[in-house]
Amino acid sequence: MTTTTDRTTTTPDRTTTTSDLMVTASEAAPRASRTPRLVDLFERGLDAPICLTWELTYACNLACTHCLSSSGRRDPRELSTAEAKAVIDELEAMQVFYVNIGGGEPTVRADFWELLDYATAHHVGVKFSTNGVRITPEAAERLARNDYVDVQISLDGATADVNDAVRGPGSYATAVRAMANLAAAGMKNFKLSVVCTRHNIPQLDEFKALADRYGAQLRLTRLRPSGRGADVWDELHPTAAQQRELYDWLVAHGEQVLTGDSFFHLSAYGQALPGLNLCGAGRVVCLIDPVGDVYACPFAIHDEFLAGNVREDGGFAGVWRGSELFRRLREPQHGGACASCAFYDTCKGGCMAAKFFTGLPLDGPDPECVQGYGEAQLARRPSDRADLPKPSGDHSRRGRPVDLVLSRREDLERPPVSACAEDPLAGLRLA
């Protein structure tokens, strides 16, 4: 999975660097006769996550074919504003450096701006992913004034035809308009976030040029067979040749492009990519979903990886520090079928979620193993995939996506949405 530890994170009272994390991890880990690698320390887990992913809502105005959380309809059980603020209070007390906010489309939640301001005022930096539907010129100016917010605009094609085939008609224009608004407001180094598929791998240079045009930083992430992505993974995931093309491109562009460590399985080509290069599930990262369930990995929304709920006694801290699942994930891991591979120390067997949802054993090779071992195992699966694990919950909307044209009356504040309203656009005026 991705550990999403992309950058040094600044909060109002502190700046956290890799050296700070080394000290924290060293204090929590047994002393070794040699100086331990950072990745070795992180494998044992930390007293608090470095960052975590928080899906504020399943509501979304789009219906992306590869959506990892099968988003669309709002879940009426989602955390209230007061409950969400209580979680933020916990994150501040635990000194969590920042939170990755997603969804669904987080900005359609009525209290999004209130929660964003509350988090940054309480020393929790915010990075949020959006399709851009509510990044108006006014919203962009508001974001540009907050030094502790980072914005990721999601786009999965450098051209409208490639992007809209996956994300829906009009979504390319919406994302580009959002980037233009952010650039015009003076926001620097916001992110252009791309999920790599076999259709957009040929566009890597074009993505980089598009990011440069708006003063953004390109961020590439891996397609996982999670959520609705499980239904299209066989058709969309990059081919073996494209995996090599992607690896060579990432090596060539080095620190200019972020990956959130999601391509650590490609390190088996020989040279480790920049980043931690490990699965951080339950060790340094986790996921809080809209109803407060805590999962080990943002890409493994399944009861097998459910650690607890923030509404339980002890809250989020109790789950992070007391979950039996997390305790097992922090124990020394054996290589299983990959132990004899010369590249195990670099790829660590690959992505847990990718293996789980493609029906491969967790102690076996990654389905996209660059040595071809995963491909061989995939070929041995039965043609009937009915027995493959299914993600927990499908929030997909039926029918056509909502048109993405904002009304001129659009503003930043919205009245509360009824607790039973499942309309993903409740409280949001669209033309």
Side-chain angles (χ1 to χ4, degrees), residues 11-94:
T11 56
D13 287 339
R14 66 186 188 277
T15 299
T16 302
T17 64
T18 305
S19 60
D20 296 322
L21 301 179
M22 175 71 86
V23 171
T24 303
S26 297
E27 292 172 348
R31 296 287 182 181
S33 57
R34 62 177 177 81
T35 301
R37 298 179 304 167
L38 193 62
V39 64
D40 295 329
L41 296 171
F42 282 0
E43 282 184 331
R44 303 184 185 112
L46 300 178
D47 191 49
I50 296 173
C51 65
L52 59 88
T53 296
W54 187 355
E55 294 178 343
L56 281 182
T57 183
Y58 286 126
C60 192
N61 55 301
L62 296 184
C64 301
T65 61
H66 61 342
C67 178
L68 66 90
S69 57
S70 300
S71 287
R73 292 175 292 110
R74 177 179 179 269
D75 191 315
R77 302 170 299 156
E78 69 185 29
L79 298 177
S80 67
T81 303
E83 288 175 318
K85 287 182 176 179
V87 171
I88 293 169
D89 291 340
E90 282 197 86
L91 300 182
E92 178 185 20
M94 296 172 73

Side-chain angles (χ1 to χ4, degrees), residues 303-324:
D303 288 347
E304 186 81 12
F305 305 103
L306 177 60
N309 189 286
V310 301
R311 286 171 166 147
E312 297 168 355
D313 291 342
F316 172 74
V319 177
W320 179 260
R321 294 167 180 165
S323 161
E324 174 64 20

Side-chain angles (χ1 to χ4, degrees), residues 225 353-362 367 377-378 381 387-389:
K355 289 186 274 192
F356 182 76
F357 287 117
T358 53
L360 301 188
L362 295 184
Q377 290 212 0
L378 288 173
R381 296 180 303 172
D387 292 336
L388 289 183

Side-chain angles (χ1 to χ4, degrees), residues 291-357:
V291 301
D293 283 337
V294 181
Y295 293 89
C297 168
F299 306 105
I301 304 175
H302 187 279
D303 288 347
E304 186 81 12
F305 305 103
L306 177 60
N309 189 286
V310 301
R311 286 171 166 147
E312 297 168 355
D313 291 342
F316 172 74
V319 177
W320 179 260
R321 294 167 180 165
S323 161
E324 174 64 20
L325 170 65
F326 286 175
R327 185 193 64 77
R328 293 198 308 270
L329 289 172
R330 293 164 190 166
E331 292 175 348
Q333 304 294 308
H334 61 83
C338 294
S340 61
C341 179
F343 300 101
Y344 176 71
D345 282 344
T346 52
C347 84
K348 300 293 184 182
C351 173
M352 176 179 71
K355 289 186 274 192
F356 182 76
F357 287 117

